[in-house]
Amino acid sequence: MEFKIEYKSSNARACCIKTSHSEILTPVFMPVGTLAAIKSLDAIDMSEILDAKIILANTYHLYLRPGSKIIKQMGGLHGFSKFNRSFLTDSGGFQAFSLSANSKPDEEGIKFKSHIDGSLHYFTPKSVLDAQYDFNSDIMMILDDLVALPASKERIDLSLKRTIKWAKEAIDYHKFKQSQGIGIEQNIFGIIQGGTDFEARKICAQALCEMSFDGLAIGGLSVGEENEAMYDTVEAMMPYVDENRPRYLMGVGTPEDLVENVSRGVDMFDCVMPTRNARNGTLFTSFGKFNIKKAEFITDNLPIDPKCSCYTCKNFSRAYLNHLFKAKELTFFRLASLHNLHYYLDLAKQMRQAIIKDEFENFKREFYRQRTC
Ligand SMILES: [Zn+2]
């Protein structure tokens, strides 16, 4: 992976990341394609209509179904899904932790029961990388020990100890595999844990920065804590997160969260919010968000956002979308997802332009000033 910081505006950065499948300009929002598809959309929508340079897929789900060996046989995630730009895959730890009633972390990994058929599985720092080698993901995430917040000091300390130990096992294994000719073009990111405890975050960040990860992720935030606690934690730990590598804040967040964390030096984001909200009728716009099901839209001939240049806004009215939503027409999911993802991808582009012009603080003021709902 090539990484270059191109511009800075206060702490906000505009960078370029080159993988063997695409050039990614930051700040970047990565749409979430849990099952190797963004819900209701396909690879052609993602590249030709939305021009996304990188999307996410989930190791837990794909490992269980269809299975990593089948994906490998079908040409990895790129050959299988036909999205030929970059893929980032998570380690699966988060889903093993959140979807399985019986998940149990121990010193070596996470034991869990499949939510599909109840079969027993064990994720270890090595096994989650093996799955990701089969996927041929451009960016692989390591296994980390997650904690639900609020957590006791003892639980955070244990998570820290395990996360650092597993990170070391993962980076050593990756170097070994590359020496065997496997995963040569694949990159690996470490994940910093520590809850909202600043000292724990600092210790974890310092330990992981000493390892030769291609990028550094901040995990374990946006899990129920207050927004301010998230922003303060990111701000407090950022001086310890190597500035010469991409910085990725996992699972975040609202448009406001993106703006706030870019201003604190984060480069990469992912979240199910734009697609999940699209499916329940919530649409993001330059003036805030609203729900299309409201009666006021029944005869509204305007597009979702008159300032938006997306496929949906160029072609369809709020009245039509209101009708499709109420009729539970499947076309609604596609049109609403295209609009919401365009909004997030465009917000990232606007932030990049503001950073290039060294006007990020002005951009941020204007972003909040325009929001009325
Ligand atoms: Zn639109």
Side-chain angles (χ1 to χ4, degrees), residues 308 310 313 339:
C308 179
C310 85
C313 289
H339 166 81

Side-chain angles (χ1 to χ4, degrees), residues 284 303-305 308-314 338-340 342-343:
F284 292 95
I304 299 168
D305 182 348
C308 179
S309 61
C310 85
Y311 174 85
T312 305
C313 289
K314 270 195 295 200
L338 283 172
H339 166 81
N340 274 359
H342 176 94
Y343 173 82

Side-chain angles (χ1 to χ4, degrees), residues 95-285:
Q95 282 80 17
F97 165 85
S98 61
L99 286 180
S100 170
N102 301 5
S103 86
K104 206 171 150 26
D106 61 33
E107 292 317 303
E108 311 304 325
I110 305 172
K111 285 195 180 80
F112 64 95
K113 246 185 190 178
S114 159
H115 73 288
I116 300 171
D117 61 9
S119 54
L120 290 171
H121 302 267
Y122 193 28
F123 274 165
T124 67
K126 291 178 185 171
S127 79
V128 298
L129 289 180
D130 284 334
Q132 295 178 84
Y133 292 127
D134 288 343
F135 299 156
N136 195 29
S137 345
D138 298 277
I139 299 176
M140 307 186 289
M141 303 304 299
I142 63 166
L143 191 69
D144 54 349
D145 184 29
L146 287 155
V147 280
L149 294 178
S152 67
K153 175 102 180 71
E154 289 70 35
R155 183 62 187 94
I156 287 177
D157 286 346
L158 178 63
S159 152
L160 217 61
K161 218 176 92 199
R162 279 184 187 153
T163 295
I164 295 169
K165 173 174 173 268
W166 293 355
K168 182 85 179 74
E169 284 172 35
I171 195 76
D172 288 348
Y173 187 60
H174 183 53
K175 281 184 195 153
F176 168 73
K177 291 301 261 192
Q178 287 194 322
S179 74
Q180 307 287 303
I182 293 165
I184 300 284
E185 299 199 337
Q186 292 180 261
N187 302 285
I188 184 169
F189 279 24
I191 306 176
I192 303 163
Q193 289 291 342
T196 47
D197 179 327
F198 295 175
E199 187 57 25
R201 287 278 174 184
K202 177 183 165 184
I203 293 168
C204 198
Q206 286 174 329
L208 266 71
C209 287
E210 279 176 22
M211 303 179 202
S212 56
F213 289 111
D214 299 289
L216 298 155
I218 301 167
L221 288 178
S222 199
V223 289
E225 77 283 9
E226 295 289 325
N227 280 349
E228 286 305 320
M230 183 222 294
Y231 304 154
D232 291 348
T233 305
V234 170
E235 190 166 322
M237 65 190 288
M238 216 39 113
Y240 309 102
V241 185
D242 184 6
E243 62 171 351
N244 296 311
R245 286 182 258 185
R247 294 158 163 176
Y248 164 32
L249 180 55
M250 302 178 77
V252 173
T254 63
E256 289 81 359
D257 290 339
L258 265 59
V259 172
E260 290 299 331
N261 288 295
V262 164
S263 79
R264 288 163 173 80
V266 174
D267 308 309
M268 305 167 72
F269 301 88
D270 78 281
C271 191
V272 295
M273 193 170 277
T275 40
R276 181 175 290 166
N277 281 12
R279 295 194 300 278
N280 68 34
T282 302
L283 303 170
F284 292 95
T285 72

Side-chain angles (χ1 to χ4, degrees), residues 91 142 152 188 233 243 247 274 298 328 330 334 341 358:
S91 70
I142 63 166
S152 67
I188 184 169
T233 305
E243 62 171 351
R247 294 158 163 176
I298 292 173
K328 299 194 169 57
L330 296 182
R334 170 176 156 74
L341 284 175
D358 196 11

